Amino acid sequence: NARVLIDGPSELVFDYAIPDGLDVRPGCRVRVPLRRKSAGGTVLSIAPADGQADFALRELESLVDPEPLITPVLLKAGEWIAGYYGSSIESVIRSLLPEAVRTEENSAKTRRIALLTNAPDETALAKLSKRAPKQFAILSLLIASTDGRMPVADLGEGNAAALKALEKAGLIILEAEEVRRDPDADSADEILEFKPLPLNPEQAEAFEAVTAAIADPQNAKPILLLGVTGSGKTEVYLQAAQRALDLGKTVLVLVPEISLTPQTVRRFKSRFAAIQDQVAVLHSNLSQGERFDEWHRIRKGKARIVIGARSGVFAPLPDLGLIIVDEEHENSYKQENPPRYHGRDVAVLRAAFEPCAVVLGSATPSLETWHNCQTGKYQLLRLDQRADGQSMPLVRVVDMRLEKAKQKGGVAILSDKLRTALEQRLEKGEQSILFLNRRGFARSLQCPACGHVCQCPHCAVALTYHRTDERLVCHVCGHQAIVPHKCPECRAPSILLQGYGTQKVEEVLAKVLPTAKFARIDADAMRRKHALRDTLNAFKSHKIDILIGTQMIAKGLHFPNVTLVGILNADLGLHVPDFRAGERTFQLLTQVAGRAGRGDLAGEVIVQTFTPHSPSIQYSRKHDFDGFAEQEMDFRRQFSFPPYAHCSVLTARSGHERRAEFTLQTLHLRLAENLPDGMVLGEVLPSPLIRSHGQFRFQITLRHHRARGLTNHVQSVLARTTLPDDVTVVFDMDALNFS
Ligand code: ADP
Ligand code: ZN
């Protein structure tokens, strides 16, 4: 049988019998009978006929194209994803093939062109000009054109009869020509060619290792390029990409998000400006037609460098020589809908299947990747120096507990030190960035006087404050505690920390620095199309002195005139109920600090915090990834967290609170039966975001050192449990989001 996804918005899936002699494979486009009509569809999977129900199945009508849309390597990767993440192969194939490609309505766009075959001589032309002025006009245009061919649309209106007559007379040919819907056609950015830079010794060594992997992928390991911010990783990517192209291979570049990494995308475009039409950028806002064209350009090998975000990992490039995953530690590589794959991990897998070289780059690699280097699965390459010869920015930590005491009530937003530093930059005509991480909605309790945070005694994560039942709950093990009215550490009477956001910062700045010009970048301020690009351009041309932003500004921006970065509340991400809180904070602080001093001027970073002693802050201050990783890995090992175990979340949600909870309790009982050796099964708990979109949510976390063991155990329980209609259960393997 073939399971077929029918074209169209309703996404129907039906089984069909395969007629004898038809070579139907997953990813093939087919025509099938649907009610009394015929419809287009894509084969998702082939199941062996199970005899029984077969008599009821209707037969496929025909194959539209004998070649499947999915290459064998991608099909193999798809099967791996389905098994590893516990998703159906149907949902995997669906994300492998963009809808724009699966649906028959989309097709190549064509235009009619006229081709001059036989130019008449002067006298014939003169005659024609009197007898048939329209035909004469058309011929004159064609004769004057450079290669005797022009789009019919450019030959004037109301010409149909004249064209026909010319064709009949054997003077021209009319034919159809495919036109590419170029997503960049109206782009305002001009692309200036940017020539390769001579590599410094560290870069040269890394480049050699990457090119060796490109030349002999069979025997190469995945590579981690660990380079401090500004160390010139991008230059290494660019030259390695050039090498792959020189060898006749293609290159896939993954970035966390296209719109948030405009500078990286631009650098690739500039380096390969001479072969611009061979570069494809898979923006999320491509129209269906553009997506269709880009996909087929890639498939045919016309686009030889593809830049995309997470789903770009499925770009159907032939002869793949190199995959680059920039900022490999970024969470946005994890898909939050089924199939919940991790783009970086799929990239590594695809590279092994192709085989091709794969380079993961970061200044702050994920501990999963770091662990793979330490066990020898990945090869580690380092760039420890900034490429432009600048030193790393000087980082000062300001203890906000002292500021708080000075201000008497209210929250201190700008410390004296940061305010003075901002004033100095204004005077000197230099620019600043202020960063506020507002991530995390679940509040933890922190004492503003001593910085103490209420933590779970069993799990070393912050306890979460639940307003409804006035309790503190551990979101890993379920430990509960009453809400203290005084700080357990210093006995200060007010322990709830008041939050503030970027808008409040704007307000304060306007008061404190009335002459400064500033702009805000966050999800609220950037709703308008091109708002982000326009604001960044204004900042670049120094129409703005101070840029205030959330993590949207943490990635890959490069502004030579920025000499000061202020981090307003470094603690905000630290006390969310997530064992990765420390790692995320370290990554974010390091990335943000890396925005300072990227030109000829030295950079300074001021970090405001209530917990100046925390490792995330101290190690990022010293730009010490190794030190941070060492202590963080100790903690992970001690509590069996990733990378020492795989951690997954099983979530049940429903409009009925009790039903969601009860369903998960039933699943919990069944999961506890025959629990595989060493698997840690958490309790049923309300999700930190207990109610979302009107749905109540409960969750269980599971940990195990074997990924397949974990997925298989959960899948086998799910397979023999009938769920109530109004409860949705979701399994997230290698979860990154515990909310
Ligand atoms: P990263 O990607 O590691 O943060 P970048 O690639 O952005 O670092 O490089 C930082 C700066 O150093 C850029 O302005 C880049 O043009 C410059 N640069 C990179 N490599 C070299 C080199 N070999 N010589 C001189 N400048 C370089
Ligand atoms: Zn706990």
Side-chain angles (χ1 to χ4, degrees):
N1 302 345
R3 181 153 289 182
V4 177
L5 173 66
I6 311 290
D7 293 352
S10 41
E11 306 241 290
L12 303 169
V13 175
F14 293 114
D15 287 343
Y16 291 90
I18 302 172
D20 287 342
L22 216 51
D23 178 23
V24 178
R25 285 172 282 167
C28 278
R29 299 271 315 145
V30 289
R31 289 212 65 87
V32 295
L34 184 69
R35 293 187 203 98
R36 272 184 226 142
K37 289 195 208 135
S38 157
T42 307
V43 177
L44 296 176
S45 58
I46 308 281
D50 56 8
Q52 266 204 342
D54 271 11
F55 67 91
L57 288 185
R58 301 174 72 178
E59 281 198 343
L60 290 175
E61 284 171 2
S62 59
L63 266 174
V64 174
D65 185 351
E67 277 304 303
L69 289 174
I70 298 177
T71 60
V73 164
L74 286 175
L75 184 60
K76 211 164 136 195
E79 282 161 359
W80 179 89
I81 291 171
Y84 185 93
Y85 293 98
S87 311
S88 65
I89 186 74
E90 286 84 7
S91 78
V92 177
I93 302 267
R94 223 178 268 214
S95 31
L96 260 162
L97 284 178
E99 198 200 337
V101 174
R102 287 192 251 115
T103 315
E104 211 164 64
E105 272 132 49
N106 284 308
S107 55
K109 188 173 151 193
T110 55
R111 59 178 178 182
R112 291 219 307 156
I113 55 161
L115 196 67
L116 185 67
T117 47
N118 233 331
D121 58 26
E122 295 288 331
T123 44
L125 267 179
K127 251 199 226 160
L128 198 62
S129 76
K130 298 215 184 71
R131 186 172 56 82
K134 272 197 176 170
Q135 294 184 32
F136 171 74
I138 293 170
L139 278 181
S140 312
L141 281 171
L142 281 170
I143 291 167
S145 73
T146 41
D147 54 356
R149 53 189 279 139
M150 282 179 76
V152 166
D154 296 348
L155 292 171
E157 281 174 28
N159 275 337
L163 285 165
K164 262 220 180 93
L166 287 170
E167 192 180 24
K168 212 168 168 195
L171 297 175
I172 65 167
I173 296 178
L174 294 173
E175 60 184 21
E177 176 189 70
E178 253 183 50
V179 282
R180 173 182 170 210
R181 284 155 286 202
D182 182 356
D184 281 342
D186 60 348
S187 161
D189 304 338
E190 62 172 324
I191 302 292
L192 294 176
E193 188 160 355
F194 159 59
K195 293 250 169 1
L197 300 166
L199 298 178
N200 64 35
E202 279 188 337
Q203 285 175 314
E205 199 175 312
F207 172 72
E208 288 307 323
V210 175
T211 50
I214 296 172
D216 184 14
Q218 205 90 48
N219 296 307
K221 293 175 182 178
I223 291 169
L224 169 64
L225 183 58
L226 169 53
V228 297
T229 51
S231 59
K233 294 185 288 297
T234 314
E235 188 60 37
V236 176
Y237 302 155
L238 290 168
Q239 299 198 15
Q242 183 65 59
R243 173 61 62 89
L245 294 179
D246 292 344
L247 292 173
K249 308 223 172 140
T250 60
V251 179
L252 175 59
V253 184
L254 299 180
V255 295
E257 228 172 304
I258 297 276
S259 64
L260 294 187
T261 51
Q263 296 189 338
T264 308
V265 174
R266 197 167 314 139
R267 278 162 80 183
F268 269 88
K269 284 186 158 181
S270 327
R271 176 60 51 85
F272 299 103
I275 50 164
Q276 238 185 90
D277 57 333
Q278 298 182 25
V279 181
V281 182
L282 301 173
H283 297 280
S284 57
N285 55 2
L286 292 185
S287 71
Q288 291 278 52
E290 288 166 348
R291 197 168 286 281
F292 178 93
D293 287 0
E294 293 303 276
W295 194 91
H296 283 281
R297 252 163 40 82
I298 296 168
R299 180 78 205 264
K300 289 178 193 148
K302 288 184 186 162
R304 307 187 58 78
I305 305 178
V306 175
I307 306 175
R310 179 182 57 233
S311 63
V313 74
F314 299 124
L317 283 154
D319 308 316
L320 195 53
L322 171 65
I323 306 179
I324 294 162
V325 183
D326 193 22
E327 308 288 3
E328 68 86 29
H329 63 279
E330 282 287 337
N331 284 347
S332 56
Y333 282 120
K334 179 84 155 83
Q335 165 130 321
E336 294 292 348
N337 305 309
R340 297 168 181 267
Y341 66 91
H342 197 298
R344 172 201 59 215
D345 295 342
V346 175
V348 168
L349 187 88
R350 180 173 178 183
F353 287 165
E354 290 278 353
C356 72
V358 57
V359 178
L360 315 179
S362 177
T364 52
S366 65
L367 293 179
E368 283 80 0
T369 297
W370 182 243
H371 187 59
N372 280 328
C373 287
Q374 301 213 306
T375 59
K377 259 173 90 177
Y378 293 3
Q379 183 187 359
L380 175 64
L381 304 174
R382 301 190 76 126
L383 305 177
D384 291 326
Q385 306 294 327
R386 278 197 160 182
D388 47 17
Q390 287 285 331
S391 48
M392 296 300 288
L394 180 68
V395 180
R396 297 177 199 282
V397 174
V398 177
D399 187 343
M400 292 304 277
R401 294 172 299 185
L402 307 175
E403 293 288 324
K404 172 88 187 175
K406 269 189 279 183
Q407 300 225 346
K408 297 193 203 80
V411 200
I413 292 181
L414 280 186
S415 61
D416 291 342
K417 215 179 226 156
L418 183 52
R419 201 195 60 231
T420 318
L422 284 169
E423 283 165 355
Q424 285 168 353
R425 295 310 183 292
L426 275 179
E427 277 166 25
K428 286 197 271 181
E430 295 170 7
Q431 292 171 289
S432 310
I433 291 178
L434 290 182
F435 176 82
L436 178 64
N437 177 18
R438 293 188 312 172
R439 221 186 121 257
F441 40 83
R443 278 273 167 70
S444 54
L445 283 191
Q446 186 178 33
C447 172
C450 76
H452 174 80
V453 173
C454 297
Q455 293 216 328
C456 173
H458 312 297
C459 303
V461 299
L463 293 171
T464 300
Y465 173 59
H466 283 238
R467 191 191 300 265
T468 38
D469 47 3
E470 277 290 320
R471 289 204 159 258
L472 293 174
V473 180
C474 169
H475 281 283
V476 176
C477 75
H479 173 83
Q480 296 206 356
I482 51 166
V483 181
H485 293 290
K486 285 182 179 156
C487 171
E489 199 65 29
C490 77
R491 318 304 300 165
S494 69
I495 182 164
L496 260 181
L497 184 72
Q498 295 294 318
Y500 62 88
T502 40
Q503 299 198 21
K504 179 80 186 166
V505 177
E506 237 180 344
E507 219 179 281
V508 172
L509 271 189
K511 261 189 231 144
V512 183
L513 301 168
T515 60
K517 283 167 285 172
F518 44 83
R520 177 163 59 90
I521 290 193
D522 57 26
D524 300 328
M526 293 298 125
R527 284 222 186 90
R528 189 173 55 81
K529 204 181 169 192
H530 299 314
L532 180 66
R533 195 185 71 189
D534 295 348
T535 308
L536 291 179
N537 282 341
F539 191 56
K540 186 155 212 165
S541 53
H542 204 159
K543 292 189 187 104
I544 296 168
D545 303 309
I546 304 173
L547 193 63
I548 310 161
T550 57
Q551 52 261 55
M552 284 179 88
I553 61 171
K555 288 170 210 153
L557 299 179
H558 182 84
F559 297 107
N561 197 40
V562 171
T563 56
L564 174 67
V565 169
I567 295 167
L568 292 174
N569 187 346
D571 306 326
L572 270 185
L574 211 47
H575 308 302
V576 295
D578 184 334
F579 65 88
R580 287 193 181 89
E583 182 183 7
R584 298 238 171 88
T585 300
F586 174 80
Q587 290 167 344
L588 206 55
L589 294 183
T590 309
Q591 298 283 345
V592 177
R595 301 305 121 223
R598 302 202 30 131
D600 299 332
L601 306 163
E604 182 184 4
V605 180
I606 294 182
V607 178
Q608 301 188 153
T609 172
F610 287 97
T611 51
H613 49 271
S614 86
S616 302
I617 288 170
Q618 284 304 325
Y619 286 110
S620 66
R621 183 166 91 93
K622 289 179 271 177
H623 314 286
D624 181 3
F625 173 79
D626 296 75
F628 174 76
E630 193 178 330
Q631 66 84 35
E632 182 70 15
M633 294 286 267
D634 263 357
F635 150 63
R636 301 284 180 90
R637 189 184 302 113
Q638 211 175 325
F639 292 97
S640 299
F641 281 129
Y644 295 100
H646 291 271
C647 183
S648 64
V649 180
L650 193 64
T651 307
R653 53 169 203 264
S654 168
H656 293 266
E657 186 170 2
R658 292 290 148 247
R659 221 149 23 217
E661 189 176 9
F662 181 73
T663 302
L664 209 53
Q665 273 158 354
T666 309
L667 288 170
H668 189 272
L669 281 176
R670 297 193 179 173
L671 285 166
E673 292 166 15
N674 312 317
L675 194 69
D677 237 13
M679 190 176 292
V680 182
L681 175 64
E683 294 301 316
V684 175
L685 290 169
S687 302
L689 187 62
I690 178 165
R691 195 155 179 222
S692 154
H693 305 292
Q695 300 257 304
F696 292 91
R697 299 146 37 101
F698 290 83
Q699 67 185 33
I700 301 173
T701 58
L702 296 105
R703 279 176 278 157
H704 193 44
H705 58 280
R706 280 190 51 237
R708 291 291 175 144
L710 215 174
T711 302
N712 291 345
H713 184 58
V714 174
Q715 292 303 118
S716 76
V717 168
L718 286 178
R720 58 194 157 80
T721 309
T722 323
L723 302 172
D725 283 344
D726 55 354
V727 178
T728 312
V729 171
V730 170
F731 174 63
D732 188 3
M733 179 60 187
D734 288 344
L736 289 181
N737 181 353
F738 295 88
S739 59

